[in-house]
Amino acid sequence: MPQFRLSEAARLLGVSDDTVRRWVRAGQLTAFDDSAGRKVVDGAELAAFAKAQAEQPEDPSGVGRSARNRFVGLVTEVVTDKVMAQVELQCGSHRVVSLMSAEAVRELGLRPGVLAVAVVKATTVVVETPEGSR
């Protein structure tokens, strides 16, 4: 059973250690002592909690699509040449980079500060675990 110290849980959730401690005191997360006497959270519980806490802004496009991976964010950078462009979005804590035609950038009006949705449909997703995972 994977376990995470409260500081590790905080880092994974993008919050402070104090916030995790408050969630434990409020009963939102269950912490227990590991064999070394440190407070830890069960990995499965932490994963369920992270999923429940994730707030994705509403997709402003209103378009139905088969791709389930949509990341709403702001365009932070656009680099174009005559034919191609690189568009960078900040979607919450995630940086998403897309390569597209310069024509598409012009048609969509993409420039820093524009609200956009990155839609990802992939047939291959690589999943890695840290060496010596729990």
Side-chain angles (χ1 to χ4, degrees), residues 48-118:
F49 183 79
K51 187 174 179 179
Q53 291 295 309
E55 290 186 27
Q56 180 71 354
E58 188 173 323
D59 185 336
S61 66
V63 174
R65 60 181 67 85
S66 64
R68 297 290 174 241
N69 301 312
R70 290 179 257 198
F71 303 97
V72 178
L74 293 172
V75 175
T76 57
E77 187 174 358
V78 178
V79 178
T80 61
D81 64 17
K82 209 169 181 151
V83 178
M84 294 300 295
Q86 177 179 311
V87 179
E88 181 177 308
L89 288 88
Q90 192 65 41
C91 305
S93 62
H94 302 286
R95 175 179 168 258
V96 179
V97 178
S98 176
L99 301 176
M100 65 184 73
S101 69
E103 179 182 21
V105 167
R106 288 189 299 274
E107 287 176 359
L108 294 170
L110 297 176
R111 63 187 181 288
V114 169
L115 178 65
V117 181

Side-chain angles (χ1 to χ4, degrees), residues 2-9 12 39-44 46 134:
Q3 301 170 350
F4 296 93
R5 293 192 326 258
L6 298 188
S7 61
E8 293 173 316
L12 289 167
K39 291 287 185 197
V40 294
V41 178
D42 172 68
L46 185 62
R134 303 164 201 240

Side-chain angles (χ1 to χ4, degrees), residues 6-67:
L6 298 188
S7 61
E8 293 173 316
R11 195 169 36 258
L12 289 167
L13 296 172
V15 298
S16 70
D17 296 7
D18 288 337
T19 297
V20 173
R21 287 188 199 94
R22 278 193 296 274
W23 286 335
V24 168
R25 281 194 302 272
Q28 294 175 273
L29 273 173
T30 306
F32 53 93
D33 293 333
D34 67 5
S35 59
R38 298 174 298 198
K39 291 287 185 197
V40 294
V41 178
D42 172 68
E45 180 182 351
L46 185 62
F49 183 79
K51 187 174 179 179
Q53 291 295 309
E55 290 186 27
Q56 180 71 354
E58 188 173 323
D59 185 336
S61 66
V63 174
R65 60 181 67 85
S66 64

